[in-house]
Amino acid sequence: MSSLCLPDHLTPLLMHVEPLLANADQYQLGNTVSVSVSESGVVDIKIEERQLSLIFNQAEADFSGFKILDQWYAPYPSVREMQVKVEQDSRVIVCGLPTEKGCVDIWHHNGEARAVYCHHAGAGEPQRAMLLCALALDYPLEDAVTLARAHARGYQSSHQDGHGEVSWPVSRELFPRPLTANHPEVDVLGWQSKEVAVEPFCATDAQQLALYPVVDTAEWVDRLLELGVKTTQLRIKNSQDPQLETQVQQIIAAGNQYQAQVFVNDYWQLAIKHQAYGVHLGQEDLETADLVAIQQAGLRIGLSTHGYYEILRAVEFSPSYIALGHIFPTTTKEMPSKPQGLNRLALYQKLIGDTFPTVAIGGIDLPRAEKVWRTGVSSVAVVRAITEASDPAMAVDAFNQLLVRPEFPDAINEKITDRIDAD
Ligand SMILES: Cc1ncc(COP(=O)(O)OP(=O)(O)O)c(N)n1
Ligand SMILES: Cc1nc(C(=O)O)sc1CCOP(=O)(O)O
Ligand SMILES: [Mg+2]
Protein backbone atom coordinates (compact mmCIF):
# COMPACT_ATOMS: atom_id res chain seq x y z
CA MET A 1 0.00 0.00 0.00
CA SER A 2 1.33 3.46 -0.91
CA SER A 3 0.17 6.71 0.65
CA LEU A 4 -0.37 10.26 -0.53
CA CYS A 5 -0.60 12.91 2.16
CA LEU A 6 -1.85 16.34 1.02
CA PRO A 7 -1.42 19.57 2.94
CA ASP A 8 -4.59 21.34 4.07
CA HIS A 9 -4.51 23.97 1.35
CA LEU A 10 -4.53 21.28 -1.37
CA THR A 11 -7.70 19.51 -0.20
CA PRO A 12 -9.64 20.85 -3.25
CA LEU A 13 -7.47 18.43 -5.27
CA LEU A 14 -9.24 15.49 -3.63
CA MET A 15 -12.15 15.72 -6.07
CA HIS A 16 -9.63 15.06 -8.88
CA VAL A 17 -7.39 12.62 -7.03
CA GLU A 18 -10.09 10.19 -5.95
CA PRO A 19 -11.54 9.37 -9.40
CA LEU A 20 -8.04 8.99 -10.81
CA LEU A 21 -7.03 6.55 -8.10
CA ALA A 22 -10.28 4.65 -8.64
CA ASN A 23 -9.39 4.42 -12.33
CA ALA A 24 -5.89 3.22 -11.54
CA ASP A 25 -7.38 0.58 -9.23
CA GLN A 26 -9.74 -0.56 -11.97
CA TYR A 27 -6.89 -0.87 -14.46
CA GLN A 28 -4.62 -2.31 -11.73
CA LEU A 29 -1.86 0.11 -12.57
CA GLY A 30 -0.06 -0.07 -9.24
CA ASN A 31 -0.40 -0.56 -5.49
CA THR A 32 -3.48 0.79 -3.78
CA VAL A 33 -2.89 4.37 -2.61
CA SER A 34 -4.37 5.71 0.62
CA VAL A 35 -4.97 9.46 0.75
CA SER A 36 -4.82 11.65 3.85
CA VAL A 37 -4.57 15.34 4.73
CA SER A 38 -2.08 16.93 7.12
CA GLU A 39 -1.33 20.40 8.41
CA SER A 40 2.17 20.46 6.98
CA GLY A 41 2.66 22.59 3.85
CA VAL A 42 4.30 19.72 2.00
CA VAL A 43 2.93 16.82 -0.08
CA ASP A 44 4.34 13.52 1.19
CA ILE A 45 4.24 10.33 -0.84
CA LYS A 46 5.33 6.96 0.57
CA ILE A 47 5.94 4.02 -1.73
CA GLU A 48 7.21 0.88 -0.03
CA GLU A 49 10.40 2.01 1.75
CA ARG A 50 10.74 5.19 -0.29
CA GLN A 51 9.47 8.67 0.56
CA LEU A 52 9.00 11.64 -1.78
CA SER A 53 8.19 15.19 -0.69
CA LEU A 54 6.96 18.01 -2.91
CA ILE A 55 6.14 21.67 -2.62
CA PHE A 56 4.48 23.94 -5.14
CA ASN A 57 5.75 27.25 -6.47
CA GLN A 58 8.61 27.92 -4.07
CA ALA A 59 11.56 27.74 -6.43
CA GLU A 60 14.02 29.37 -4.07
CA ALA A 61 12.97 27.46 -0.95
CA ASP A 62 15.68 25.54 0.89
CA PHE A 63 13.89 22.23 0.38
CA SER A 64 15.34 18.86 -0.47
CA GLY A 65 12.21 17.43 -2.16
CA PHE A 66 10.75 18.22 -5.58
CA LYS A 67 9.92 21.88 -6.18
CA ILE A 68 7.06 22.03 -8.65
CA LEU A 69 6.51 25.29 -10.49
CA ASP A 70 3.07 25.36 -12.10
CA GLN A 71 1.83 28.94 -11.71
CA TRP A 72 3.04 31.49 -14.22
CA TYR A 73 2.56 35.24 -14.42
CA ALA A 74 3.52 37.40 -17.40
CA PRO A 75 6.18 38.22 -18.43
CA TYR A 76 6.92 34.49 -18.58
CA PRO A 77 10.49 33.21 -18.42
CA SER A 78 11.78 31.77 -21.68
CA VAL A 79 11.88 28.03 -22.32
CA ARG A 80 15.66 28.21 -22.57
CA GLU A 81 15.92 29.99 -19.18
CA MET A 82 13.90 27.23 -17.54
CA GLN A 83 15.85 24.53 -19.37
CA VAL A 84 19.06 25.92 -17.79
CA LYS A 85 17.42 26.21 -14.36
CA VAL A 86 16.27 22.58 -14.43
CA GLU A 87 19.67 21.39 -15.68
CA GLN A 88 21.24 23.09 -12.66
CA ASP A 89 18.70 22.02 -10.04
CA SER A 90 17.50 18.44 -10.25
CA ARG A 91 14.65 19.18 -7.82
CA VAL A 92 12.87 21.75 -9.99
CA ILE A 93 9.96 20.54 -12.13
CA VAL A 94 8.40 23.04 -14.51
CA CYS A 95 4.76 22.35 -15.39
CA GLY A 96 2.75 24.21 -17.99
CA LEU A 97 5.21 27.01 -18.79
CA PRO A 98 3.19 29.10 -21.28
CA THR A 99 4.58 29.59 -24.78
CA GLU A 100 3.10 31.40 -27.76
CA LYS A 101 1.16 28.34 -28.94
CA GLY A 102 0.91 26.05 -25.92
CA CYS A 103 2.95 25.01 -22.94
CA VAL A 104 6.09 23.13 -21.96
CA ASP A 105 6.79 20.78 -19.05
CA ILE A 106 10.46 20.37 -18.04
CA TRP A 107 12.20 18.03 -15.59
CA HIS A 108 15.72 16.89 -14.75
CA HIS A 109 17.23 13.66 -16.06
CA ASN A 110 20.85 12.62 -15.42
CA GLY A 111 22.34 16.12 -15.45
CA GLU A 112 20.14 17.29 -18.34
CA ALA A 113 16.72 18.81 -18.76
CA ARG A 114 14.01 16.96 -20.67
CA ALA A 115 10.75 18.41 -21.87
CA VAL A 116 7.40 17.73 -23.46
CA TYR A 117 5.40 20.30 -25.40
CA CYS A 118 1.84 20.59 -26.63
CA HIS A 119 -0.48 23.12 -28.25
CA HIS A 120 -2.75 23.21 -25.26
CA ALA A 121 -2.40 24.20 -21.67
CA GLY A 122 -5.09 22.07 -20.08
CA ALA A 123 -6.57 22.47 -16.64
CA GLY A 124 -4.31 23.16 -13.65
CA GLU A 125 -5.94 21.17 -10.87
CA PRO A 126 -6.37 17.92 -12.83
CA GLN A 127 -2.77 18.27 -13.97
CA ARG A 128 -1.53 18.61 -10.36
CA ALA A 129 -3.76 15.75 -9.24
CA MET A 130 -2.47 13.38 -11.93
CA LEU A 131 1.14 14.31 -11.20
CA LEU A 132 0.66 13.35 -7.54
CA CYS A 133 -1.37 10.20 -8.30
CA ALA A 134 1.13 8.95 -10.87
CA LEU A 135 4.04 9.48 -8.47
CA ALA A 136 2.11 7.68 -5.71
CA LEU A 137 1.49 4.81 -8.16
CA ASP A 138 5.28 4.65 -8.58
CA TYR A 139 5.48 5.90 -12.14
CA PRO A 140 8.88 7.48 -12.79
CA LEU A 141 8.93 11.27 -12.70
CA GLU A 142 9.05 11.63 -16.51
CA ASP A 143 5.94 9.48 -16.86
CA ALA A 144 4.13 11.31 -14.07
CA VAL A 145 4.76 14.68 -15.78
CA THR A 146 3.73 13.28 -19.17
CA LEU A 147 0.56 11.67 -17.82
CA ALA A 148 -0.30 14.87 -15.94
CA ARG A 149 -0.20 16.88 -19.17
CA ALA A 150 -2.29 14.27 -21.03
CA HIS A 151 -4.87 14.20 -18.26
CA ALA A 152 -5.04 18.00 -18.10
CA ARG A 153 -5.77 18.09 -21.83
CA GLY A 154 -8.31 15.29 -21.65
CA TYR A 155 -10.04 16.91 -18.72
CA GLN A 156 -10.25 20.29 -20.40
CA SER A 157 -11.56 18.98 -23.69
CA SER A 158 -14.18 16.87 -21.94
CA HIS A 159 -15.46 19.94 -20.19
CA GLN A 160 -15.44 22.04 -23.35
CA ASP A 161 -17.24 19.77 -25.77
CA GLY A 162 -18.38 16.83 -23.72
CA HIS A 163 -16.28 14.36 -25.72
CA GLY A 164 -12.95 14.31 -23.96
CA GLU A 165 -11.54 11.81 -21.51
CA VAL A 166 -12.00 12.29 -17.79
CA SER A 167 -10.53 8.94 -16.94
CA TRP A 168 -7.01 7.56 -17.34
CA PRO A 169 -5.52 9.06 -20.52
CA VAL A 170 -5.28 6.50 -23.27
CA SER A 171 -5.37 8.03 -26.74
CA ARG A 172 -2.27 9.44 -28.35
CA GLU A 173 -3.87 12.81 -29.30
CA LEU A 174 -3.95 13.75 -25.62
CA PHE A 175 -0.28 13.15 -25.01
CA PRO A 176 2.33 15.88 -25.42
CA ARG A 177 5.33 15.47 -27.72
CA PRO A 178 8.86 15.24 -26.30
CA LEU A 179 11.10 18.09 -27.40
CA THR A 180 13.73 16.36 -29.51
CA ALA A 181 15.62 17.54 -32.57
CA ASN A 182 12.83 15.98 -34.65
CA HIS A 183 10.17 18.33 -33.27
CA PRO A 184 9.39 21.01 -35.89
CA GLU A 185 9.15 23.76 -33.27
CA VAL A 186 12.24 22.92 -31.25
CA ASP A 187 14.22 25.92 -32.54
CA VAL A 188 11.38 28.43 -32.31
CA LEU A 189 10.90 27.38 -28.72
CA GLY A 190 14.61 27.86 -28.00
CA TRP A 191 15.02 24.32 -26.68
CA GLN A 192 18.55 22.94 -27.04
CA SER A 193 18.49 19.28 -27.91
CA LYS A 194 21.39 16.84 -27.91
CA GLU A 195 19.92 14.56 -30.53
CA VAL A 196 20.13 15.07 -34.28
CA ALA A 197 17.05 15.16 -36.53
CA VAL A 198 16.57 12.03 -38.60
CA GLU A 199 14.20 10.80 -41.34
CA PRO A 200 11.89 7.82 -40.63
CA PHE A 201 13.52 4.39 -40.66
CA CYS A 202 12.66 1.53 -43.03
CA ALA A 203 9.78 -0.68 -41.97
CA THR A 204 10.03 -4.30 -40.83
CA ASP A 205 7.72 -6.98 -42.15
CA ALA A 206 5.19 -7.04 -39.32
CA GLN A 207 3.92 -10.49 -40.42
CA GLN A 208 7.35 -11.92 -39.62
CA LEU A 209 7.66 -10.27 -36.23
CA ALA A 210 5.61 -12.52 -33.95
CA LEU A 211 8.27 -14.61 -32.16
CA TYR A 212 11.50 -12.69 -31.59
CA PRO A 213 14.23 -14.69 -29.80
CA VAL A 214 17.18 -12.65 -28.52
CA VAL A 215 20.36 -14.74 -28.25
CA ASP A 216 24.05 -14.27 -27.51
CA THR A 217 25.89 -16.30 -30.16
CA ALA A 218 25.85 -16.58 -33.94
CA GLU A 219 25.49 -20.30 -33.42
CA TRP A 220 22.14 -19.73 -31.72
CA VAL A 221 21.02 -17.45 -34.55
CA ASP A 222 21.88 -20.17 -37.10
CA ARG A 223 20.04 -22.78 -35.09
CA LEU A 224 16.92 -20.62 -34.82
CA LEU A 225 16.88 -19.71 -38.49
CA GLU A 226 17.09 -23.40 -39.34
CA LEU A 227 14.02 -23.89 -37.17
CA GLY A 228 12.16 -21.34 -39.28
CA VAL A 229 12.40 -18.33 -36.91
CA LYS A 230 11.90 -15.19 -38.99
CA THR A 231 13.02 -12.46 -36.57
CA THR A 232 15.90 -12.69 -34.13
CA GLN A 233 18.66 -10.63 -32.52
CA LEU A 234 22.32 -11.15 -31.68
CA ARG A 235 22.92 -9.61 -28.24
CA ILE A 236 26.54 -9.94 -27.13
CA LYS A 237 27.16 -7.72 -24.13
CA ASN A 238 30.96 -8.13 -24.08
CA SER A 239 32.20 -5.52 -26.54
CA GLN A 240 35.74 -6.99 -26.20
CA ASP A 241 34.64 -10.40 -27.46
CA PRO A 242 37.37 -11.27 -30.02
CA GLN A 243 34.75 -13.03 -32.17
CA LEU A 244 32.35 -10.08 -32.14
CA GLU A 245 32.79 -8.86 -35.71
CA THR A 246 32.97 -12.38 -37.13
CA GLN A 247 29.74 -13.28 -35.36
CA VAL A 248 28.04 -10.15 -36.65
CA GLN A 249 29.12 -11.03 -40.20
CA GLN A 250 27.94 -14.60 -39.71
CA ILE A 251 24.44 -13.66 -38.60
CA ILE A 252 24.04 -11.14 -41.41
CA ALA A 253 24.94 -13.82 -43.97
CA ALA A 254 22.60 -16.30 -42.31
CA GLY A 255 19.79 -13.72 -42.22
CA ASN A 256 20.21 -13.13 -45.95
CA GLN A 257 20.26 -16.85 -46.65
CA TYR A 258 17.03 -17.47 -44.73
CA GLN A 259 15.42 -14.14 -45.68
CA ALA A 260 14.97 -13.41 -42.02
CA GLN A 261 14.95 -10.15 -40.02
CA VAL A 262 18.16 -10.41 -38.01
CA PHE A 263 18.95 -7.49 -35.70
CA VAL A 264 22.31 -6.59 -34.14
CA ASN A 265 22.10 -5.28 -30.59
CA ASP A 266 24.22 -2.22 -29.70
CA TYR A 267 26.99 -2.43 -32.35
CA TRP A 268 25.52 -0.08 -34.92
CA GLN A 269 28.89 0.67 -36.57
CA LEU A 270 29.43 -3.03 -37.31
CA ALA A 271 25.81 -3.32 -38.42
CA ILE A 272 26.31 -0.52 -40.96
CA LYS A 273 29.72 -1.80 -42.04
CA HIS A 274 28.31 -5.24 -42.89
CA GLN A 275 24.84 -4.08 -44.03
CA ALA A 276 22.77 -5.78 -41.36
CA TYR A 277 18.99 -5.97 -41.66
CA GLY A 278 18.65 -3.83 -38.54
CA VAL A 279 19.98 -2.69 -35.16
CA HIS A 280 18.40 -2.57 -31.74
CA LEU A 281 19.30 0.41 -29.55
CA GLY A 282 18.46 1.58 -26.05
CA GLN A 283 17.31 5.05 -24.97
CA GLU A 284 20.77 6.16 -23.91
CA ASP A 285 22.03 5.38 -27.44
CA LEU A 286 19.71 7.98 -28.96
CA GLU A 287 22.11 10.76 -28.05
CA THR A 288 25.32 9.01 -29.07
CA ALA A 289 24.64 6.66 -32.01
CA ASP A 290 24.78 8.12 -35.52
CA LEU A 291 21.09 7.68 -36.28
CA VAL A 292 21.41 9.52 -39.58
CA ALA A 293 24.08 7.06 -40.77
CA ILE A 294 21.93 4.10 -39.66
CA GLN A 295 18.90 5.50 -41.45
CA GLN A 296 20.83 6.41 -44.61
CA ALA A 297 22.37 2.94 -44.75
CA GLY A 298 18.81 1.60 -44.98
CA LEU A 299 18.99 -0.34 -41.71
CA ARG A 300 15.88 -0.91 -39.62
CA ILE A 301 15.99 0.26 -36.03
CA GLY A 302 14.27 -1.08 -32.93
CA LEU A 303 14.20 1.14 -29.82
CA SER A 304 13.83 0.07 -26.20
CA THR A 305 11.33 1.85 -23.99
CA HIS A 306 10.23 1.50 -20.38
CA GLY A 307 7.27 3.82 -19.96
CA TYR A 308 5.17 6.66 -21.38
CA TYR A 309 7.87 9.27 -21.90
CA GLU A 310 10.32 6.86 -23.49
CA ILE A 311 7.60 5.57 -25.82
CA LEU A 312 6.72 9.09 -26.93
CA ARG A 313 10.41 9.90 -27.34
CA ALA A 314 10.92 6.77 -29.45
CA VAL A 315 7.94 7.74 -31.62
CA GLU A 316 9.71 11.01 -32.47
CA PHE A 317 12.41 8.99 -34.25
CA SER A 318 9.93 6.95 -36.36
CA PRO A 319 11.66 3.64 -35.66
CA SER A 320 10.96 0.29 -37.32
CA TYR A 321 9.56 -1.06 -34.05
CA ILE A 322 9.19 -0.02 -30.42
CA ALA A 323 10.16 -2.48 -27.69
CA LEU A 324 8.15 -2.33 -24.45
CA GLY A 325 9.94 -3.66 -21.41
CA HIS A 326 10.31 -5.18 -19.04
CA ILE A 327 6.91 -6.75 -18.63
CA PHE A 328 7.74 -9.32 -15.91
CA PRO A 329 10.74 -9.74 -13.61
CA THR A 330 13.77 -11.04 -15.46
CA THR A 331 17.11 -12.48 -14.42
CA THR A 332 18.68 -12.02 -17.86
CA LYS A 333 19.51 -8.38 -17.27
CA GLU A 334 19.69 -6.00 -14.32
CA MET A 335 16.85 -3.56 -14.82
CA PRO A 336 16.84 -0.07 -13.28
CA SER A 337 13.06 0.14 -13.68
CA LYS A 338 10.22 -1.98 -12.29
CA PRO A 339 8.34 -4.63 -14.25
CA GLN A 340 5.43 -3.01 -16.08
CA GLY A 341 2.92 -5.85 -15.83
CA LEU A 342 0.17 -6.63 -18.31
CA ASN A 343 -2.16 -3.75 -17.60
CA ARG A 344 0.40 -1.03 -18.15
CA LEU A 345 1.53 -2.92 -21.26
CA ALA A 346 -2.03 -2.91 -22.61
CA LEU A 347 -2.24 0.86 -22.16
CA TYR A 348 1.10 1.41 -23.89
CA GLN A 349 -0.09 -0.73 -26.77
CA LYS A 350 -3.26 1.34 -27.04
CA LEU A 351 -1.21 4.53 -26.99
CA ILE A 352 0.94 3.35 -29.90
CA GLY A 353 -1.94 1.67 -31.72
CA ASP A 354 -0.91 0.53 -35.17
CA THR A 355 1.43 3.48 -35.78
CA PHE A 356 4.50 1.30 -35.11
CA PRO A 357 5.00 -2.42 -34.55
CA THR A 358 5.55 -3.20 -30.87
CA VAL A 359 7.72 -5.85 -29.20
CA ALA A 360 7.02 -6.91 -25.60
CA ILE A 361 10.10 -8.13 -23.70
CA GLY A 362 11.14 -9.20 -20.22
CA GLY A 363 10.28 -12.33 -18.27
CA ILE A 364 7.97 -13.71 -20.94
CA ASP A 365 7.63 -17.48 -21.05
CA LEU A 366 5.14 -19.70 -22.81
CA PRO A 367 2.41 -19.61 -20.12
CA ARG A 368 2.61 -15.80 -19.92
CA ALA A 369 2.86 -15.26 -23.67
CA GLU A 370 -0.85 -15.70 -24.35
CA LYS A 371 -1.93 -12.77 -22.18
CA VAL A 372 0.92 -10.65 -23.51
CA TRP A 373 -0.24 -11.43 -27.05
CA ARG A 374 -3.82 -10.50 -26.19
CA THR A 375 -2.73 -6.93 -25.43
CA GLY A 376 -2.27 -6.55 -29.19
CA VAL A 377 1.54 -6.31 -29.34
CA SER A 378 3.09 -7.21 -32.71
CA SER A 379 5.83 -9.36 -31.27
CA VAL A 380 7.07 -11.20 -28.19
CA ALA A 381 10.84 -11.12 -27.54
CA VAL A 382 12.29 -13.83 -25.33
CA VAL A 383 15.71 -14.88 -24.11
CA ARG A 384 15.47 -17.65 -21.49
CA ALA A 385 12.20 -19.08 -22.79
CA ILE A 386 14.20 -20.31 -25.76
CA THR A 387 17.82 -20.54 -24.60
CA GLU A 388 16.94 -22.39 -21.38
CA ALA A 389 14.19 -24.55 -22.84
CA SER A 390 14.86 -28.27 -22.52
CA ASP A 391 13.86 -28.59 -26.17
CA PRO A 392 14.26 -25.23 -27.99
CA ALA A 393 12.70 -26.59 -31.19
CA MET A 394 9.56 -27.53 -29.29
CA ALA A 395 9.56 -24.13 -27.56
CA VAL A 396 9.77 -22.33 -30.94
CA ASP A 397 6.96 -24.47 -32.23
CA ALA A 398 4.77 -23.79 -29.20
CA PHE A 399 5.33 -20.01 -29.44
CA ASN A 400 4.58 -20.11 -33.18
CA GLN A 401 1.28 -21.84 -32.54
CA LEU A 402 0.32 -19.27 -29.95
CA LEU A 403 1.46 -16.08 -31.65
CA VAL A 404 -1.03 -15.93 -34.48
CA ARG A 405 -3.64 -13.29 -35.12
CA PRO A 406 -7.26 -14.01 -35.97
CA GLU A 407 -8.38 -13.03 -39.47
CA PHE A 408 -9.96 -9.79 -38.27
CA PRO A 409 -7.29 -7.61 -36.75
CA ASP A 410 -9.88 -5.13 -35.52
CA ALA A 411 -10.70 -7.61 -32.79
CA ILE A 412 -7.43 -6.54 -31.20
CA ASN A 413 -8.75 -3.06 -30.70
CA GLU A 414 -11.64 -4.03 -28.46
CA LYS A 415 -11.29 -2.89 -24.88
CA ILE A 416 -8.19 -4.96 -24.35
CA THR A 417 -7.56 -3.99 -20.76
CA ASP A 418 -11.04 -5.17 -19.80
CA ARG A 419 -10.13 -8.65 -20.96
CA ILE A 420 -6.88 -8.95 -19.05
CA ASP A 421 -6.99 -10.68 -15.73
CA ALA A 422 -4.78 -9.63 -12.84
CA ASP A 423 -1.17 -10.64 -13.35
C1 LIG B 1 13.72 -6.59 -28.57
C2 LIG B 1 14.59 -5.94 -27.55
N1 LIG B 1 14.04 -5.14 -26.64
C3 LIG B 1 14.80 -4.54 -25.71
C4 LIG B 1 16.15 -4.75 -25.67
C5 LIG B 1 17.02 -4.06 -24.67
O1 LIG B 1 17.89 -3.16 -25.30
P1 LIG B 1 18.76 -2.13 -24.43
O2 LIG B 1 17.83 -1.30 -23.62
O3 LIG B 1 19.68 -1.41 -25.32
O4 LIG B 1 19.57 -3.06 -23.46
P2 LIG B 1 20.65 -4.18 -23.86
O5 LIG B 1 19.94 -5.28 -24.56
O6 LIG B 1 21.66 -3.53 -24.76
O7 LIG B 1 21.22 -4.62 -22.57
C6 LIG B 1 16.69 -5.61 -26.63
N2 LIG B 1 18.01 -5.87 -26.67
N3 LIG B 1 15.90 -6.19 -27.56
C1 LIG C 1 17.48 -7.77 -23.01
C2 LIG C 1 16.31 -7.29 -22.26
N1 LIG C 1 15.84 -6.03 -22.38
C3 LIG C 1 14.80 -5.79 -21.60
C4 LIG C 1 14.13 -4.50 -21.49
O1 LIG C 1 13.14 -4.38 -20.79
O2 LIG C 1 14.59 -3.58 -22.15
S1 LIG C 1 14.34 -7.13 -20.70
C5 LIG C 1 15.57 -8.04 -21.37
C6 LIG C 1 15.84 -9.46 -21.02
C7 LIG C 1 14.74 -10.40 -21.39
O3 LIG C 1 15.16 -11.67 -21.06
P1 LIG C 1 14.16 -12.83 -20.61
O4 LIG C 1 13.27 -13.12 -21.76
O5 LIG C 1 15.08 -13.98 -20.30
O6 LIG C 1 13.45 -12.36 -19.38
MG1 LIG D 1 21.64 -1.75 -25.84
Side-chain angles (χ1 to χ4, degrees):
M1 161 99 72
S2 303
S3 68
L4 169 61
C5 183
L6 297 174
D8 248 353
H9 69 278
L10 293 182
T11 45
L13 285 186
L14 282 173
M15 63 173 272
H16 297 284
V17 163
E18 279 164 358
L20 279 175
L21 289 177
N23 247 254
D25 250 1
Q26 188 201 335
Y27 282 130
Q28 298 170 6
L29 298 179
N31 281 344
T32 307
V33 178
S34 72
V35 184
S36 57
V37 178
S38 80
E39 280 173 20
S40 105
V42 172
V43 177
D44 281 315
I45 298 176
K46 279 202 189 106
I47 311 148
E48 290 164 9
E49 302 304 300
R50 227 155 38 84
Q51 166 127 16
L52 301 175
S53 300
L54 307 90
I55 51 169
F56 285 92
N57 297 306
Q58 295 181 53
E60 306 314 325
D62 183 15
F63 178 69
S64 62
F66 287 123
K67 295 186 266 188
I68 300 170
L69 310 183
D70 66 357
Q71 269 164 6
W72 305 98
Y73 303 101
Y76 307 123
S78 70
V79 170
R80 178 66 193 144
E81 242 175 281
M82 295 318 283
Q83 178 176 14
V84 172
K85 190 171 182 69
V86 172
E87 273 165 7
Q88 291 168 349
D89 186 346
S90 64
R91 296 278 150 182
V92 172
I93 302 169
V94 170
C95 292
L97 174 67
T99 65
E100 197 183 335
K101 291 187 181 160
C103 74
V104 179
D105 302 293
I106 312 173
W107 65 95
H108 188 98
H109 177 88
N110 291 344
E112 289 171 22
R114 285 186 160 178
V116 289
Y117 170 60
C118 66
H119 291 156
H120 209 291
E125 285 200 341
Q127 183 261 329
R128 268 190 184 185
M130 177 56 109
L131 181 73
L132 301 179
C133 287
L135 289 172
L137 288 162
D138 210 7
Y139 279 94
L141 175 64
E142 59 194 19
D143 286 0
V145 174
T146 305
L147 273 168
R149 178 59 46 220
H151 178 59
R153 286 177 84 176
Y155 184 90
Q156 196 174 58
S157 32
S158 73
H159 283 70
Q160 268 168 9
D161 59 20
H163 296 297
E165 293 179 61
V166 278
S167 54
W168 203 261
V170 176
S171 61
R172 170 99 173 275
E173 305 77 66
L174 293 178
F175 281 80
R177 280 180 67 176
L179 279 179
T180 70
N182 289 313
H183 195 294
E185 289 165 77
V186 69
D187 293 332
V188 181
L189 288 165
W191 182 260
Q192 286 188 10
S193 164
K194 278 202 169 172
E195 308 101 345
V196 173
V198 64
E199 295 289 314
F201 288 85
C202 288
T204 51
D205 179 351
Q207 302 278 343
Q208 307 277 39
L209 261 181
L211 171 63
Y212 183 171
V214 174
V215 291
D216 61 0
T217 61
E219 202 184 328
W220 259 114
V221 171
D222 278 343
R223 193 168 163 192
L224 291 166
L225 297 182
E226 273 170 30
L227 290 171
V229 166
K230 285 296 176 196
T231 302
T232 184
Q233 179 190 128
L234 178 67
R235 176 177 180 270
I236 297 177
K237 288 313 286 182
N238 174 14
S239 59
Q240 303 308 311
D241 184 333
Q243 294 301 308
L244 181 63
E245 186 159 2
T246 315
Q247 297 208 58
V248 169
Q249 284 175 280
Q250 201 178 321
I251 60 146
I252 294 170
N256 290 337
Q257 185 191 339
Y258 284 91
Q259 300 194 321
Q261 310 188 123
V262 181
F263 287 83
V264 177
N265 186 48
D266 292 343
Y267 308 109
W268 55 270
Q269 292 98 330
L270 288 180
I272 293 176
K273 180 174 170 190
H274 298 294
Q275 269 299 296
Y277 176 82
V279 289
H280 183 94
L281 295 181
Q283 288 279 320
E284 56 293 345
D285 303 315
L286 287 173
E287 286 162 25
T288 53
D290 189 343
L291 298 181
V292 173
I294 298 169
Q295 193 273 340
Q296 287 181 348
L299 271 57
R300 284 83 186 158
I301 199 166
L303 296 179
S304 294
T305 69
H306 304 92
Y308 283 106
Y309 170 76
E310 289 188 0
I311 291 170
L312 295 167
R313 183 177 186 226
V315 163
E316 292 295 316
F317 294 89
S318 295
S320 314
Y321 69 77
I322 296 179
L324 306 167
H326 58 303
I327 310 307
F328 302 104
T330 178
T331 51
T332 301
K333 176 181 171 182
E334 242 178 67
M335 299 300 304
S337 49
K338 292 211 165 148
Q340 305 281 350
L342 285 167
N343 295 299
R344 289 191 186 194
L345 172 66
L347 290 177
Y348 299 146
Q349 176 58 37
K350 279 197 166 192
L351 174 69
I352 300 168
D354 53 14
T355 326
F356 297 97
T358 50
V359 177
I361 186 166
I364 304 174
D365 55 14
L366 202 52
R368 284 168 164 165
E370 192 191 347
K371 282 184 183 171
V372 170
W373 193 237
R374 278 164 58 196
T375 63
V377 293
S378 324
S379 176
V380 172
V382 293
V383 179
R384 290 164 302 150
I386 296 291
T387 58
E388 293 181 10
S390 53
D391 185 339
M394 268 177 67
V396 166
D397 210 40
F399 273 110
N400 282 340
Q401 287 190 29
L402 194 73
L403 306 181
V404 285
R405 286 281 171 230
E407 246 174 88
F408 306 106
D410 276 355
I412 298 163
N413 295 324
E414 290 167 32
K415 290 192 81 188
I416 287 157
T417 41
D418 294 349
R419 289 189 280 125
I420 294 169
D421 312 324
D423 176 19

